[in-house]
Amino acid sequence: MTTASAPPATAETPQPPAPAQTPEPPATPPLRVLLRYARPHRTVLLATLLLVLAASAAGLVQPLVAQHVLDGLSDGRGVLGPVLLLAALVVLGAGLTGLQSWWQQRTSERVVRQIRRDLVFRLIRLRVPELDRRPPGDLISRVTSDSALVQNAATEGLVMVSNGVLSILGAVVLMGVVHLGLLGVTAAVLIAVALVMVLVLPRIREAVARAQESVGAVGAALDRTLGAARTVKANGAEGRETERAGEAIEGAYRAGLAGARYVALVKVLSGVSIQAAFLAVLGVGGALVAAGSLEASALIAFLLYVFYLASPVGSLVAGLSMLQQGLGAVGRIEQVKHMPVEDDVDDPREGLAAVAAPGAPPVEFRDVRFSYPGRAPALRGISYTVPGGTQTALVGLSGAGKTTMFALLQRFHEPASGQIRIDGVDIATLPRSEVRRRIAYVEQESPVMAGTIEDNLRYAATGASDEDIAEVLRLTRLDTLIDRLPDGLRTEVGNRGVTLSGGERQRLAIARALLRRPEVLLLDEATAQLDANNERALREAVDQAARRCTVILIAHRLSTVTGADQIVVLEHGLVRAAGTHAELVEADVLYRELASSQMLVSEGNEDIGELADVPR
């Protein structure tokens, strides 16, 4: 039977223009983004700031109290009261500082928790094309190191800057009370240093942004190597991969050094400013004391205020540096916010027990066209129908478009034009969660998640019963494996299923798909790693599955699909021919050559599929 239209393989179909890309929204100023992260915690941050200011006020009063102590000593008056007050101020300042530190750290952890939750939510829902073009290690670094920089800037950095500014203003007022002339000397020195720092601080943001990108490159290099550890070791490529990762580390080192130089320069300037102010005040104030126009106790009090300035100035400088580092990381986090995500994948029924599909729906491709960015068209007007409750096999040379059709069927990608229908409904009109709920997909690599065998089986049907699990284990002949394992279903499979053989991973992936009770079952070369006995058993399981769902297979080994209800032959993104195995052997040259190369057809073009022990 033939249900697919088969345009000539040489026909060139004009391509529709590529859809216009949606422009990114204008970038939000990084400082505004940073304040947005802090806004939900503004009450606690304000209370923290008040504690800091209270501690700073306790420090501000101490030089004045010290002046009274000195005056009392010189006049012969009692100083017990001022000394006790001074001690109380010291203890109060220390206690307020400790409480403020706890509140600040707790708020900081809450901020980074929310940032990481938002990032993880979006990263897991990124569209497949976006995931394909970005190294996982770089994306992971945004959740780990970038978020930590924003965490510090949005809480500690803002508090330190606010505290530094207000404390410096308070100190300036009290210094003016002590002596206006010496205040002018101090201000002249600090303003000169501040002008230099204004030029340096923006460089920190740029350096941090480069450093974080370099850290992401290190993560990407390591992810590339560890993700293919056996390939690396089997090819003796440890040295080359170490060198590649080392280059990324060297780039991160150089970028980090650039930022460290600016941070060090800022610290030097802040330290120099206090020392220069102290020397200037000491010189001018000493001359005034010698001239008799200034009391020695007033000079000492003023010098104490100059020393006191070291703390708020240091707080202001450190806070500004922290803010610049956070602003550099904000840009990378905001990039994730602008990456396209799948916003229709959260199914409220997730986790419920799978129920039998209401029926096996037909699947229809109608003039579907698709191109990967920067590449020739992968599909150039594909049209064919898979009748409900049947098995259809897709065959053809590599690059013909078989796996691309599976990706489009699950809406990993969207076609440039045309329609894909399940049970007469265009899947583009359905939420992705609904489309993927109806479809089970067994990938060619048959990935297995770290965890137990039972975890993997229940991955898509967490509410499946023990009877359902026993049934799929029997169908895929995994029951004998489970019986041999000391821990049975609770056996750990290791990272990416490393403790299982290729065939066991493949059967586990198929069992997981069958447990979902799908309406449509997609198998991408699902028997590639199975021996003859298990392959035969699995074909029987697929035959049984086809009684309650529609099965579409991709196959390079034609022996696995000679009994399919329909075989669709693809070539260069077009349907070349369609029919049963026998019909295609007679009618299509490419299929006959494929069958002959796999010894399914005799030299006289006689079908010998039965000799290959292929049931159906």
Side-chain angles (χ1 to χ4, degrees):
M1 76 183 179
T2 303
T3 59
S5 60
T10 57
E12 290 291 342
T13 309
Q15 297 300 305
Q21 293 185 350
T22 304
E24 286 191 1
T28 306
L31 183 58
R32 185 179 299 177
V33 176
L34 198 65
L35 293 174
R36 189 172 67 211
Y37 288 127
R39 190 174 298 122
H41 310 278
R42 56 184 177 273
T43 302
V44 178
L45 288 175
L46 180 59
T48 301
L49 178 59
L50 291 176
L51 287 176
V52 173
L53 293 176
S56 298
L60 279 171
V61 176
Q62 291 174 27
L64 291 178
V65 176
Q67 182 180 2
H68 285 298
V69 171
L70 293 173
D71 289 339
L73 290 173
S74 62
D75 296 341
R77 291 183 281 110
V79 295
L80 180 60
V83 169
L84 291 177
L85 177 59
L86 190 60
L89 289 173
V90 171
V91 173
L92 178 62
L96 291 175
T97 299
L99 182 58
Q100 168 266 329
S101 177
W102 159 244
W103 279 7
Q104 182 175 289
Q105 291 299 320
R106 184 182 63 178
T107 304
S108 178
E109 292 300 326
R110 289 176 176 176
V111 168
V112 78
R113 177 183 64 182
Q114 189 58 49
I115 292 173
R116 286 171 176 167
R117 279 179 174 173
D118 293 343
L119 284 174
V120 167
F121 181 90
R122 291 191 65 85
L123 289 176
I124 290 177
R125 288 162 179 78
L126 283 183
R127 296 190 178 181
V128 171
E130 194 71 24
L131 289 170
D132 288 344
R133 72 186 187 90
R134 293 185 182 272
D138 177 63
L139 296 176
I140 292 171
S141 72
R142 302 179 195 229
V143 180
T144 53
S145 59
D146 288 352
S147 62
L149 291 177
V150 175
Q151 164 198 14
N152 293 331
T155 54
E156 187 176 359
L158 291 176
V159 170
M160 291 176 72
V161 169
S162 302
N163 172 56
V165 170
L166 295 176
S167 297
I168 289 172
L169 289 177
V172 166
V173 171
L174 293 177
M175 291 166 79
V177 171
V178 174
H179 198 279
L180 286 174
L182 294 180
L183 174 60
V185 173
T186 304
V189 175
L190 295 181
I191 289 174
V193 175
L195 291 176
V196 178
M197 292 178 65
V198 166
L199 300 175
V200 175
L201 285 173
R203 305 289 182 89
I204 295 177
R205 182 198 309 185
E206 300 170 2
V208 167
R210 290 194 298 270
Q212 292 304 106
E213 290 175 1
S214 300
V215 170
V218 173
L222 200 57
D223 178 79
R224 174 183 182 273
T225 302
L226 298 181
R230 283 169 173 73
T231 302
V232 171
K233 294 179 180 299
N235 289 277
E238 291 92 343
R240 295 195 301 275
E241 293 299 331
T242 301
E243 183 179 356
R244 180 191 295 269
E247 291 173 357
I249 292 171
E250 185 66 23
Y253 168 74
R254 288 194 297 268
L257 277 187
R261 281 195 294 268
Y262 290 119
V263 171
L265 178 58
V266 167
K267 289 184 177 180
V268 168
L269 289 174
S270 64
V272 166
S273 65
I274 298 301
Q275 296 297 327
F278 172 78
L279 294 175
V281 168
L282 183 61
V284 175
L288 293 175
V289 170
S293 57
L294 180 67
E295 295 291 336
S297 61
L299 175 59
I300 293 173
F302 199 95
L303 288 173
L304 289 175
Y305 275 120
V306 173
F307 277 120
Y308 169 82
L309 277 178
S311 177
V313 166
S315 175
L316 177 61
V317 170
L320 289 174
S321 298
M322 205 173 290
L323 280 179
Q324 294 299 323
Q325 293 174 9
L327 294 176
V330 159
R332 284 169 48 82
I333 290 178
E334 282 298 288
Q335 284 180 358
V336 177
K337 301 289 184 67
H338 295 151
M339 294 178 189
V341 297
E342 298 178 339
D343 53 6
D344 55 354
V345 296
D346 294 302
D347 190 347
R349 290 167 293 188
E350 184 179 359
L352 299 179
V355 297
V363 178
E364 183 180 3
F365 282 73
R366 289 187 176 183
D367 195 27
V368 175
R369 304 169 188 272
F370 176 78
S371 298
Y372 293 100
R375 294 171 57 183
L379 302 180
R380 300 189 292 161
I382 290 287
S383 296
Y384 67 89
T385 299
V386 179
T390 65
Q391 290 187 45
T392 290
L394 307 179
V395 302
L397 300 176
S398 296
K402 304 182 293 296
T403 301
T404 297
M405 282 191 284
F406 275 16
L408 294 177
L409 189 53
Q410 296 168 96
R411 295 193 63 191
F412 293 159
H413 299 275
E414 301 294 334
S417 65
Q419 291 184 342
I420 302 174
R421 293 174 171 263
I422 295 180
D423 205 13
V425 179
D426 185 355
I427 64 173
T429 65
L430 299 174
R432 288 179 175 84
S433 60
E434 175 65 17
V435 174
R436 294 168 189 172
R437 182 188 65 80
R438 303 174 69 176
I439 297 173
Y441 176 40
V442 179
E443 301 174 60
Q444 187 171 2
E445 294 82 7
S446 303
V448 173
M449 313 292 285
T452 66
I453 293 176
E454 184 175 14
D455 291 338
N456 276 274
L457 286 170
R458 295 183 185 272
Y459 192 71
T462 55
S465 67
D466 294 340
E467 292 76 14
D468 291 334
I469 292 178
E471 175 65 14
V472 297
L473 291 176
R474 184 189 63 79
L475 287 175
T476 54
R477 291 195 177 183
L478 279 172
D479 50 348
T480 55
L481 169 67
I482 302 301
D483 292 340
R484 293 197 308 268
L485 296 173
D487 295 327
L489 287 173
R490 292 182 175 81
T491 300
E492 293 285 340
V493 299
N495 185 39
R496 306 188 186 189
V498 68
T499 64
L500 302 177
S501 69
E504 288 167 348
R505 287 196 298 270
Q506 209 159 25
R507 283 182 285 158
L508 181 56
I510 294 170
R512 180 172 59 201
L514 293 176
L515 193 60
R516 294 186 61 185
R517 298 182 179 273
E519 297 176 26
V520 179
L521 177 62
L522 307 180
L523 302 172
D524 189 350
E525 197 63 30
T527 61
Q529 301 185 55
L530 300 183
D531 55 46
N533 289 334
N534 281 314
E535 179 185 323
R536 185 182 302 109
L538 195 58
R539 289 204 306 270
E540 294 172 357
V542 172
D543 290 344
Q544 293 186 40
R547 298 171 186 171
R548 63 189 185 196
C549 68
T550 302
V551 179
I552 308 177
L553 310 92
I554 293 175
H556 292 101
R557 290 163 56 180
L558 299 185
S559 62
T560 64
V561 298
T562 53
D565 299 289
Q566 177 182 221
I567 299 175
V568 177
V569 184
L570 300 171
E571 186 178 33
H572 303 310
L574 292 168
V575 174
R576 175 188 174 96
T580 64
H581 171 70
E583 291 170 347
L584 291 172
V585 167
E586 292 295 328
D588 187 72
V589 174
L590 176 60
Y591 185 83
R592 186 164 55 249
E593 289 177 353
L594 292 173
S596 177
S597 67
Q598 298 180 33
M599 296 185 294
L600 296 178
V601 176
S602 66
E603 293 183 0
N605 292 341
E606 179 183 352
D607 185 357
I608 58 172
E610 294 182 359
L611 299 179
D613 191 21
V614 180
R616 269 302 278 258

